[in-house]
Amino acid sequence: MCGIAGCLTREFAPLPAAIGSRFKQAIAYRGRDGNGEWTDGRQAHLFHSRLSIVALDDGAQPMKDIDDRLTIVFNGEIYNYVELRAEYEKRGARFHTSSDTEVILEGYKLKGASVVNDFIGMFAFAIWDEARRELFLARDRLGKKPLYWTDAGDRFCFASTLDAFTGLPGWTGELSRGALDFYAAVGSFPLGLTAFRQARSLPPGATAVVRPGADPIIERYWRLDFSRRRAMSWKAALAEYEEILTDAVRLRLRADVPVALTFSGGVDSGTIAAVASRKLETRLACFTVDYHTETDPSEETLGAREAARQLGLDWHFLHFEYADELFPALDAALAAVDQPFNNVTISYSQRLYDAIRPHAKVVLSGNGADEIFLGYRGNEDLRRRDSAALPGPLRRLSRFLPEQRRKSSRLAAYQLDYLRANLRSYPGDIPVEEMLDGVAREIDACGVGGYGDLYTFMALNYYTCDANFRMPDIAGLQAQVEVRSPFLDHRMVEFAARLPIRFKIGDIDNATYNKLLPKRYYARHVADDLAWADKKGMGWNIRFGDSFARDPDFRSAYEGALQAVAGVGLDAERFRGAWDAFTRDKLAGVLFPPTGGVMMAGFMLGRWLQVHDRGAARPVADV
């Protein structure tokens, strides 16, 4: 993985040295193995910082194609580049390096924009086409790799981080209160928008063509499609699951540097370890982070140790003393985060990646399985709600009814009612209805046909984007490790979208049978008490929620965060109310208070504002 940046000017003009320096400085943390820059001497300027994973000796960027027509900067990995190289060579492509970067270039020459459909991977890249005098941008299907852009005077600028735009001519750094409100409600920003009014994000699964002086022409090449539900037997479902996952893991083991695994011992990371060792003959060193002492042992850590023993893994444990370490670790992690981030787990995830780096440069992760296979506590109710949508006699026949599979409009209305109740209008900012229309269009375009579909759609696009995409990208690169997620292979995500909900939720009254198919598969490799254990997750015993309810230092930190939120003109009282309700529930013994998400969104928003010196010192303008 790497950092990329660049700009395209309207007129022939040299790039001011200060802008080039800012680009290089902003992306430097993303890759410390090398850096490069290129210009055509007239309008196009590209910058790159490299974390070397494959083609260590001949993969430097910016890279030109063998015909000297195309120049690329690329962030990410094309996991199937070996297979694509062989395919493209049969069609006449010539290569002078062993890198996946050159495979993108030669594929683009053969297929143009449609080449992105060939790629299995995570990527954001920019190609300058000298013959056409245009810039081609692309981002992977799920949006694992970031790609932002802005207009700066007479320049179109893009980068892997929003920090690259600081100091550009005309850049004010003005925050969008509408986008921040949306973030607080669902955990991420509206599609294509950012926390900053002057910056945009290329949507996941999208390409853009930019010509000097013209607006980007953006096209979506992929969306998750829930409308292709198909009946299958358990035998067929398990076989297809194993086939896809085995190939996803195989491709993600492909590297010219050591590979390791973040390991909770649960279904997702445990299955990756089992597939790697028993199907692919690769035993991975695995790493767990938690709070675990003799007097306060962690069930999850004990389970991880036992799972590692049963799978024959080299297990490493990192103790995180959260009462003392959480805030310093959080602030250090947030320093490189370019817009608000909603998950406090970045604090100890950053520490975990730092601990892994001396052992490996690539890390596999179980991210994404809970979102696509409905593994969270409470997800069992989604199947109940899907069944309740039809009269009893029709429930068994629901898979044959098109109207049951395609309830997109009603489900969109349900989701929008929640959002509308939690969003405010701000004069001069993005209108609430414009944001809601964007969500509704995507729900419809993806063919969302049930509450289970809706949850997966919202999780992949909003709820857990930070945990699944931004945290591995930013925190991993701060530690100079590349995080790869086999369950977020687009083929696995598409398989899960086709799967009837009975393969995901086994019992509407018992969360033990959530994520049913993956658990049944994992039970082939470990004892039942591990395969069917209640979901906990990495860092289960790091009880920061209890601390926010009871510890005076944590409560003081929360109050400071709310002051920063109020300082940018947002409604801090909403978060204070959620915090008060969260505290009451925690003190009453409620394990998962329903206001926890809103409470944490308020804290993380405020903490980011404090770390980046925003708050009261930088009020948000109304116009």
Side-chain angles (χ1 to χ4, degrees):
M1 291 199 293
C2 307
I4 65 174
C7 65
L8 182 62
T9 62
R10 288 186 174 88
E11 307 294 338
F12 292 0
L15 185 70
I19 293 179
S21 296
R22 180 56 192 161
F23 283 166
K24 289 184 283 187
Q25 178 186 8
I27 64 174
Y29 85 91
R30 300 181 62 85
R32 304 187 191 114
D33 293 333
N35 60 78
E37 58 185 284
W38 171 89
T39 178
D40 70 344
R42 295 182 290 175
Q43 291 175 289
H45 310 270
L46 303 177
F47 300 86
H48 188 265
S49 63
R50 187 181 187 209
L51 178 67
S52 303
I53 302 296
V54 299
L56 305 184
D57 297 326
D58 61 359
Q61 299 181 49
M63 180 181 289
K64 298 184 73 66
D65 75 308
I66 202 166
D67 297 321
D68 208 33
R69 167 191 154 193
L70 306 174
T71 308
I72 187 173
V73 284
F74 162 49
N75 168 33
E77 299 290 344
I78 306 301
Y79 301 126
N80 62 331
Y81 76 99
V82 174
E83 293 79 3
L84 290 177
R85 178 183 177 122
E87 176 186 330
Y88 296 162
E89 283 179 327
K90 291 178 182 178
R91 298 183 58 176
R94 296 173 296 154
F95 294 88
H96 65 282
T97 76
S98 59
S99 71
D100 57 341
T101 307
E102 192 177 19
V103 169
I104 299 174
L105 282 172
E106 293 302 316
Y108 182 76
K109 284 165 64 176
L110 289 170
K111 297 186 173 185
S114 67
V115 72
V116 292
N117 295 298
D118 288 353
F119 300 151
I120 299 172
M122 52 182 182
F123 54 85
F125 62 82
I127 296 175
W128 172 248
D129 189 327
E130 181 68 26
R132 295 181 178 176
R133 304 297 299 171
E134 67 183 27
L135 189 68
F136 177 74
L137 306 174
R139 193 174 178 204
D140 66 72
R141 294 169 180 85
L142 292 170
K144 301 169 193 175
K145 297 291 102 185
L147 189 55
Y148 305 109
W149 60 273
T150 188
D151 280 317
D154 63 347
R155 299 177 184 89
F156 171 89
C157 299
F158 69 90
S160 300
T161 172
L162 291 160
D163 290 340
F165 303 148
T166 301
L168 289 178
W171 177 261
T172 66
E174 183 181 334
L175 295 169
S176 165
R177 285 186 289 185
L180 290 174
D181 240 14
F182 190 95
Y183 148 85
V186 296
S188 190
F189 296 95
L191 192 69
L193 300 183
T194 73
F196 298 95
R197 293 184 62 176
Q198 292 172 286
R200 296 291 183 265
S201 173
L202 186 66
T207 63
V209 174
V210 188
R211 299 182 179 91
D215 291 334
I217 301 171
I218 298 174
E219 294 186 2
R220 297 290 296 276
Y221 67 88
W222 185 88
R223 284 183 174 89
L224 186 56
D225 187 354
F226 293 96
S227 69
R228 299 181 180 180
R229 192 87 70 233
R230 59 186 174 89
M232 64 178 70
S233 67
W234 268 104
K235 181 179 179 180
L238 284 164
E240 188 170 353
Y241 172 82
E242 180 181 62
E243 179 183 4
I244 295 172
L245 185 59
T246 300
D247 195 57
V249 174
R250 177 186 69 84
L251 290 177
R252 284 160 181 79
L253 290 173
R254 184 174 280 169
D256 295 332
V257 294
V259 181
L261 172 68
T262 58
F263 191 72
S264 70
V267 176
D268 313 326
S269 57
T271 300
I272 292 170
V275 167
S277 62
R278 296 177 179 177
K279 302 283 291 182
L280 301 170
E281 299 182 347
T282 302
R283 293 190 181 275
L284 297 168
C286 59
F287 294 79
T288 302
V289 62
D290 207 345
Y291 177 84
H292 178 71
T293 66
E294 289 187 6
T295 57
D296 188 6
S298 165
E299 292 181 30
E300 188 75 352
T301 295
L302 295 174
R305 183 170 63 190
E306 176 58 20
R309 186 193 68 78
Q310 292 186 25
L311 293 169
L313 305 177
D314 177 18
W315 183 63
H316 303 257
F317 174 72
L318 174 66
H319 177 74
F320 186 75
E321 192 74 36
Y322 67 95
D324 299 324
E325 296 182 60
L326 188 134
F327 292 135
L330 178 60
D331 291 350
L334 288 178
V337 176
D338 51 0
Q339 61 181 341
F341 182 91
N342 76 347
N343 201 314
V344 74
T345 61
I346 194 174
S347 56
Y348 53 86
S349 295
Q350 179 71 70
R351 291 288 180 87
L352 180 62
Y353 296 144
D354 288 339
I356 291 172
R357 180 60 186 88
H359 304 269
K361 208 172 180 180
V362 169
V363 186
L364 302 192
S365 163
N367 284 352
D370 288 308
E371 287 75 12
I372 64 176
F373 290 108
L374 305 180
Y376 292 111
R377 184 182 298 273
N379 283 167
E380 63 274 13
D381 191 53
L382 298 171
R383 185 174 180 184
R384 184 199 311 275
R385 297 172 74 178
D386 275 352
S387 299
L390 287 176
L394 293 180
R395 290 175 192 169
R396 291 187 297 275
L397 302 176
S398 63
R399 65 182 183 275
F400 301 114
L401 300 176
E403 64 270 23
Q404 170 65 10
R405 294 199 302 266
R406 300 190 61 84
K407 300 179 293 184
S408 301
S409 295
R410 184 167 65 83
L411 290 162
Y414 163 82
Q415 186 63 56
L416 266 54
D417 284 345
Y418 165 79
L419 289 172
R420 194 173 283 111
N422 287 278
L423 299 178
R424 291 176 54 189
S425 294
Y426 297 96
D429 212 320
I430 180 171
V432 169
E433 290 304 318
E434 183 177 327
M435 292 188 285
L436 298 185
D437 287 347
V439 175
R441 285 194 302 271
E442 286 299 307
I443 289 174
D444 182 65
C446 291
V448 170
Y451 287 98
D453 295 348
L454 181 63
Y455 181 86
T456 294
F457 168 86
M458 291 298 295
L460 290 177
N461 286 281
Y462 302 107
Y463 297 153
T464 56
C465 279
D466 280 1
N468 284 329
F469 307 140
R470 291 182 68 209
M471 182 163 66
D473 177 73
I474 297 174
L477 287 175
Q478 282 203 83
Q480 291 295 274
V481 297
E482 176 177 283
V483 184
R484 301 175 172 182
S485 304
F487 283 102
L488 290 171
D489 186 302
H490 75 274
R491 298 169 299 170
M492 180 61 80
V493 176
E494 290 171 344
F495 165 73
R498 296 192 301 268
L499 205 62
I501 198 169
R502 68 185 181 90
F503 291 92
K504 304 174 186 178
I505 304 296
D507 188 333
I508 60 176
D509 296 313
N510 189 344
T512 298
Y513 299 99
N514 292 1
K515 200 162 57 177
L516 183 60
L517 185 147
K519 287 181 178 179
R520 287 186 61 170
Y521 182 80
Y522 190 41
R524 296 177 176 180
H525 299 284
V526 297
D528 280 352
D529 62 332
L530 288 176
W532 297 97
D534 288 343
K535 177 175 176 57
K536 295 181 177 65
M538 184 82 80
W540 172 255
N541 214 35
I542 300 174
R543 297 186 296 270
F544 51 81
D546 290 343
S547 296
F548 275 113
R550 295 180 170 88
D551 189 317
D553 290 339
F554 277 65
R555 294 183 64 80
S556 176
Y558 199 95
E559 185 61 47
L562 290 188
Q563 291 176 13
V565 170
V568 296
L570 292 174
D571 181 13
E573 292 309 307
R574 171 191 174 197
F575 301 119
R576 189 184 306 280
W579 178 32
D580 290 341
F582 177 89
T583 299
R584 287 194 301 271
D585 284 347
K586 271 292 184 183
L587 295 179
V590 177
L591 189 60
F592 299 110
T595 57
V598 176
M599 183 277 292
M600 190 54 65
F603 172 73
M604 291 298 291
L605 172 57
R607 197 74 180 190
W608 181 86
L609 291 167
Q610 291 175 307
V611 168
H612 291 269
D613 195 25
R614 311 287 300 197
R618 294 291 300 273
V620 184
D622 283 336
V623 294

